[in-house]
Amino acid sequence: MGRGPPDGAAVSSAAMNATPQPDDEAAARAANSRLVRDFGLLIKSATRLEQRIDGELRRECGISHTMLEVLIRLCRRPGEEISQRHLADDLTLTSGGTTRLLDRMEEAGLVHRIPSPADRRVTLVETTPRGSEVFLRAAAVHARLVEKYFVGPLTADDHRRLTAALDRIDTALRDDT
Amino acid sequence: MGRGPPDGAAVSSAAMNATPQPDDEAAARAANSRLVRDFGLLIKSATRLEQRIDGELRRECGISHTMLEVLIRLCRRPGEEISQRHLADDLTLTSGGTTRLLDRMEEAGLVHRIPSPADRRVTLVETTPRGSEVFLRAAAVHARLVEKYFVGPLTADDHRRLTAALDRIDTALRDDT
DNA sequence: AGGTTTTAGTTGAGCAATCAGCAATTGATT
DNA sequence: AATCAATTGCTGATTGCTCAACTAAAACCT
């Protein structure tokens, strides 16, 4: 009653399809490749993780995970000038997406925009006091979830190696184009 | 003219905000936490990776990464009965999302739906010959990218450990509700 | 100077997902 | 056998992004 197919029965329906294409075998081989599965796992677990934290943040703090990422960057070094462009690059968003994200955050009273005195094209983004406050609550939720799903299942060594590996992957991605 | 703030100047604008809230310091501390950054890296690198492969697949094969994930599952064990529900769970999609995803794939001639003879609520999904064919081309693109960004930057040992770690994370996520 | 090219941000249109609500079918309870 | 609960897939409305076209400002050439 385990996971594997019970050998014969399940295969019957597709066998009626016509001549068993030579493609089918090749496709089955490709689909069962180790790398394909591993890669899928990376994407899937990251997606699940983000969905989980996003849902929890929305429920408990009323902000999305993306908004939290913005607040993280704005709170990191208070007073540092951060432009929309900079945020867009850092968050892997387009400039248009960033515009509207900040529209929503501004409307929610979490940030405000200030035209840069040095360059009249750029607008700088700052947290409001309310932004910092919401961020603190969100950070607590975040910490709890990270603890549970990211730290809990891993040894300290695993964690260190995982981070290092991701960092190399991320660097490779950024360096290319 | 480097990256870091030139010490005094950048801080001035925020300092005018009012009384320096005690929150600000706490927020800065939280934002600089090691875990926050590591977690962000996981999400970000996975996102970038998926965007990259998604774009390449669309350009070269005309399908999205999500569609590829569907084809992988349908080709893995040809003849195995796979319901929409099963796909939805496996892809971390809602049933509504799956319905429309399969609508598009059916329209593109990649899959077709068959009502299950055993349970008239469920509809089964199969690849068409064209689906297998497209999958083969997509798998080649996929393999090239996985090789470049997932295998290239890592040693074999890193890769093995990374996968194991992700598997534990994914399991923890699934086991919890 | 003066004209071209690049960069920052906004906007309209479109896409792919979500959520919430629905009908049909099945299984369980009495 | 009749009801009630749970499950499957579909649909309208909404969300949050992308892409492409646009304006304004700055940087770069001769």
Side-chain angles (χ1 to χ4, degrees):
Chain A
M1 289 295 151
R3 232 67 218 303
D7 257 3
V11 186
S12 56
S13 87
M16 311 185 62
N17 250 356
T19 45
Q21 308 263 344
D23 275 3
D24 286 354
E25 248 184 79
R29 239 179 299 116
N32 283 297
S33 135
R34 188 65 201 279
L35 285 178
V36 165
R37 237 193 304 245
D38 290 351
F39 184 81
L41 177 64
L42 168 58
I43 304 297
K44 193 171 62 178
S45 49
T47 303
R48 259 202 254 268
L49 209 43
E50 180 165 32
Q51 279 179 348
R52 184 69 60 102
I53 196 180
D54 189 65
E56 206 94 1
L57 283 172
R58 292 184 124 93
R59 279 201 305 103
E60 298 196 25
C61 314
I63 67 172
S64 65
H65 173 61
T66 312
M67 289 185 182
L68 175 59
E69 290 292 332
V70 170
L71 291 179
I72 287 172
R73 280 154 182 83
L74 296 182
C75 293
R76 194 116 70 191
R77 285 174 295 273
E80 183 189 20
E81 298 200 334
I82 297 190
S83 67
Q84 290 194 195
R85 181 72 257 158
H86 181 78
L87 280 176
D89 289 342
D90 222 35
L91 301 172
T92 342
L93 283 180
T94 60
S95 64
T98 307
T99 292
R100 296 202 237 272
L101 170 61
L102 292 173
D103 286 349
R104 274 168 290 158
M105 293 184 73
E106 208 168 20
E107 172 137 15
L110 300 171
V111 303
H112 60 271
R113 293 190 240 222
I114 315 162
S116 162
D119 184 335
R120 281 192 298 171
R121 288 171 302 182
V122 343
T123 87
L124 305 174
V125 186
E126 279 184 5
T127 45
T128 60
R130 180 171 148 69
S132 309
E133 185 202 329
V134 168
F135 170 66
L136 274 179
R137 265 187 297 130
V141 172
H142 184 272
R144 205 189 61 224
L145 289 170
V146 167
E147 181 64 39
K148 187 169 182 183
Y149 297 114
F150 190 51
V151 180
L154 269 42
T155 69
D157 190 53
D158 282 340
H159 186 273
R160 211 168 35 73
R161 282 167 185 271
L162 175 64
T163 303
L166 289 172
D167 199 45
R168 282 199 293 281
I169 289 176
D170 196 55
T171 303
L173 270 170
R174 190 162 1 186
D175 287 354
D176 181 274
T177 355
Chain B
M1 293 295 157
R3 228 71 219 301
D7 257 3
V11 185
S12 55
S13 86
M16 308 185 62
N17 251 356
T19 44
Q21 309 263 343
D23 275 2
D24 286 354
E25 251 183 77
R29 240 179 299 118
N32 283 298
S33 135
R34 188 64 202 278
L35 285 178
V36 166
R37 237 191 306 244
D38 290 351
F39 184 81
L41 177 64
L42 168 58
I43 304 297
K44 193 171 63 180
S45 49
T47 303
R48 260 202 255 267
L49 209 43
E50 179 165 32
Q51 279 178 348
R52 184 69 60 102
I53 197 180
D54 189 66
E56 207 94 0
L57 283 172
R58 293 186 122 93
R59 279 200 306 103
E60 298 196 25
C61 314
I63 67 171
S64 66
H65 173 61
T66 311
M67 289 184 182
L68 174 60
E69 289 291 332
V70 171
L71 291 179
I72 287 172
R73 280 155 182 81
L74 296 183
C75 293
R76 192 116 69 192
R77 285 175 294 273
E80 183 188 22
E81 297 199 336
I82 297 190
S83 68
Q84 291 195 192
R85 181 72 257 160
H86 181 78
L87 279 175
D89 289 342
D90 221 35
L91 300 172
T92 343
L93 247 56
T94 60
S95 68
T98 307
T99 293
R100 295 200 237 275
L101 170 62
L102 292 172
D103 286 350
R104 288 185 307 258
M105 293 186 72
E106 207 168 21
E107 171 137 16
L110 299 171
V111 303
H112 60 270
R113 293 189 239 221
I114 316 163
S116 163
D119 185 334
R120 281 191 298 173
R121 287 170 303 182
V122 343
T123 88
L124 305 174
V125 187
E126 279 184 5
T127 45
T128 60
R130 180 170 148 68
S132 309
E133 185 203 328
V134 168
F135 170 65
L136 274 179
R137 266 188 298 130
V141 172
H142 184 270
R144 206 190 62 224
L145 289 169
V146 167
E147 181 64 39
K148 187 168 181 185
Y149 297 115
F150 190 50
V151 179
L154 269 42
T155 69
D157 190 54
D158 282 340
H159 186 274
R160 210 168 36 72
R161 283 167 184 269
L162 175 63
T163 303
L166 289 173
D167 199 45
R168 280 200 293 282
I169 289 176
D170 196 53
T171 303
L173 270 171
R174 190 164 358 191
D175 288 355
D176 182 274
T177 352

